[in-house]
Amino acid sequence: MQKAWLYKEYGPKEVLKLEDFPFPTTLLHNQLLVQVRAAALNPIDSKMRQRPIFPTDFPVVPGCDMAGTVVAKGDGVSKFEIGNEVYGNIQDFNAPGPLKQLGTLAEYIVVEESLVASKPANLTFEEAASLPLAVQTAIEGFETAEFKEGQSIFVVGGAGGVGTLVVQLAKHFYGASHIAATTSTPKVDFVKSLGADTVFDYTKIKYEEITEKFDILYDTIGDCKNSFVVAKDEAPIIDITWPLTHPRAIYSSLTVSGDNLEKLRPYLETGKLKAVIDPSGPYHFKDVIEAFRYLETGRARGKVVISPFPSWASPSYVPRENNIATEMVALNATVY
């Protein structure tokens, strides 16, 4: 058995319990067994815990994002070797069937090799874990809007987990001509440091008072019913929340793939694209409920990250033979 945070019924964060959870005993040909070194929380983790959004079976171990070390692999895996450091979003929301019952708030997880990428060497496990779902969501919004180099963009929620990446991608990856964003008073300078040309303090100015109109409105907090006024008449209005609050809004989900993480490698390695971890963390694995409490205030700056994990205290496993079942039994015995 391994330690994992799980819930057996839908409800508030208090339904989460730290318990033993079965250790993975089988790998498909295209899957990796990964020792989790850090994980990140996302609003979708809270929403899925509160109500049945996607089909799954109880008990559920929540979590999509992780970074860790490959400790075993299926016989069809070609991209990664045992010992490689990887990161990714392990839940493919577009795949048929139920989501994985074993999410990333566990010591060891199973994931398809197509969903992860090699961790850039200059990133910590915590930084890498903070990126996947948020950056995939951010990219999808630009693709949905068919964003073109030289266009202007208005980002609602520039200091959040997705917003911090939208601002940076607009600046360094998509070549926006003008980036405006909203945030609260204490975070204005921070959002400017990410690359925003203009930052509006939403506590001091209303959307209606902003005279410039933008080619793209990218709303990360679901405020399109109010923010739509800053968009040009025919401008795409991208909303990553549901339900949509304006008839012109276009819902943008995400494509889960390790390839889209690999495309960002040069920007991560040169520091043009930076992971943003909320300064309240990282939260220790034992403090997951407190981490969810903070996430659900909606006030996080960047991502809420969980680290370290209990398995860090155990020696890394070195496979003794090329047999997945034997490796897993040996690993389980090594950890417990």
Side-chain angles (χ1 to χ4, degrees):
M1 303 291 279
Q2 62 169 325
K3 293 298 181 183
W5 284 93
L6 55 86
Y7 55 93
K8 301 174 183 177
E9 61 180 324
Y10 295 111
K13 59 187 180 297
E14 286 77 15
V15 301
L16 285 163
K17 306 296 180 185
L18 180 58
E19 296 185 8
D20 289 334
F21 190 86
F23 188 86
T25 56
T26 58
L27 283 180
L28 298 179
H29 72 283
N30 64 336
Q31 291 181 324
L32 305 169
L33 178 68
V34 178
Q35 179 187 25
V36 180
R37 300 290 299 273
L41 305 186
N42 293 280
I44 190 64
D45 298 321
S46 293
K47 293 174 182 177
M48 290 193 298
R49 189 197 67 235
Q50 292 164 355
R51 60 186 186 277
I53 299 176
F54 298 99
T56 190
D57 298 317
F58 289 123
V60 174
V61 175
C64 302
D65 290 335
M66 68 86 210
T69 304
V70 177
V71 294
K73 66 174 189 171
D75 57 14
V77 171
S78 59
K79 295 181 181 178
F80 304 102
E81 299 296 335
I82 292 169
N84 287 170
E85 297 175 349
V86 297
Y87 75 118
N89 169 9
I90 74 166
Q91 297 285 14
D92 186 353
F93 299 102
N94 298 315
L99 294 180
K100 292 181 177 69
Q101 191 176 0
L102 176 57
T104 59
L105 292 181
E107 295 178 271
Y108 294 87
I109 57 93
V110 171
V111 61
E112 293 73 22
E113 70 166 334
S114 63
L115 300 186
V116 300
S118 296
K119 182 182 77 66
N122 62 312
L123 297 187
T124 65
F125 283 105
E126 291 81 6
E127 290 169 333
S130 76
L131 290 167
L133 190 149
V135 80
Q136 289 165 345
T137 301
I139 290 171
E140 192 80 5
F142 283 100
E143 300 300 317
T144 300
E146 299 181 349
F147 189 89
K148 297 178 178 61
E149 184 177 356
Q151 289 186 310
S152 60
I153 184 170
F154 189 98
V155 184
V156 182
V162 175
T164 55
L165 292 165
V166 172
V167 170
Q168 293 182 77
L169 288 168
K171 182 78 170 183
H172 300 294
F173 193 77
Y174 290 101
S177 60
H178 184 200
I179 305 164
T182 66
T183 192
S184 59
T185 307
K187 302 173 186 174
V188 169
D189 289 341
F190 164 68
V191 176
K192 286 182 179 178
S193 74
L194 296 175
D197 302 298
T198 307
V199 180
F200 296 101
D201 182 343
Y202 67 76
T203 69
K204 297 179 179 179
I205 189 170
K206 297 180 180 179
Y207 295 117
E208 294 81 1
E209 297 171 335
I210 299 171
T211 57
E212 182 177 357
K213 304 301 178 184
F214 294 82
D215 296 314
I216 306 289
L217 169 60
Y218 200 132
D219 196 319
T220 70
I221 66 171
D223 196 29
C224 289
K225 65 181 183 296
N226 299 309
S227 63
F228 77 94
V229 297
V230 304
K232 293 180 179 179
D233 289 342
E234 302 300 322
I237 297 176
I238 301 300
D239 193 341
I240 65 171
T241 69
W242 187 266
L244 301 175
T245 60
H246 190 272
R248 282 177 54 197
I250 306 168
Y251 177 66
S252 176
S253 181
L254 75 162
T255 299
V256 182
S257 167
D259 289 342
N260 53 24
L261 299 177
E262 285 291 351
K263 291 177 183 177
L264 298 176
R265 174 179 293 277
Y267 300 88
L268 292 166
E269 291 181 335
T270 59
K272 289 183 177 180
L273 183 63
K274 294 181 172 62
V276 179
I277 298 175
D278 187 273
S280 68
Y283 289 80
H284 194 280
F285 186 75
K286 65 181 176 61
D287 295 324
V288 161
I289 292 179
E290 177 60 21
F292 268 112
R293 184 204 65 75
Y294 181 66
L295 174 75
E296 291 167 13
T297 66
R299 300 300 180 190
R301 190 182 82 177
K303 294 299 295 293
V304 176
V305 171
I306 308 299
S307 177
F309 276 59
S311 57
W312 282 32
S314 302
S316 295
Y317 174 63
V318 179
R320 294 176 294 197
E321 57 183 275
N322 189 23
N323 181 286
I324 296 304
T326 303
E327 289 175 356
M328 289 188 170
V329 171
L331 177 56
N332 200 21
T334 299
V335 176
Y336 293 104

